[in-house]
Amino acid sequence: AKRVLTSGVKGVDNGVFQAVQQVADGKFKGGTDLNFNLANGGMDVGKINPAVPQELIDKMNTLKQQIIDGKVKPPASLG
């Protein structure tokens, strides 16, 4: 591709905070998986190169919101 829009950012700090908060609230369930995604801040979009046209950024933000809203389901894997 001529340009890479951005990279994904793992919100590990947010994931750890949410897990600790669950422990503090007495709601943490050990032995289960915690799912961190766009909706709960466990995943986000990295810094975007200023050369990327605003039109593409707007389209990406629309798709991001549609994923959060459950209107678009991204594939579980690329393979």
Side-chain angles (χ1 to χ4, degrees):
K2 198 160 84 173
R3 293 190 177 101
V4 175
L5 212 108
T6 187
S7 60
V9 174
K10 294 179 186 176
V12 176
D13 57 336
N14 189 27
V16 171
F17 177 81
Q18 288 184 41
V20 171
Q21 188 68 52
Q22 288 177 14
V23 171
D25 293 342
K27 297 178 181 178
F28 182 78
K29 295 179 183 177
T32 62
D33 293 332
L34 300 174
N35 184 23
F36 299 105
N37 53 36
L38 287 171
N40 64 18
M43 188 74 194
D44 208 342
V45 177
K47 182 178 178 184
I48 299 172
N49 186 312
V52 175
Q54 186 63 46
E55 175 185 336
L56 293 178
I57 296 169
D58 292 345
K59 184 173 182 175
M60 178 203 61
N61 285 329
T62 297
L63 287 168
K64 178 181 168 184
Q65 190 58 52
Q66 289 174 339
I67 291 168
I68 291 169
D69 294 342
K71 294 177 182 176
V72 171
K73 183 171 173 70
S77 68
L78 298 176

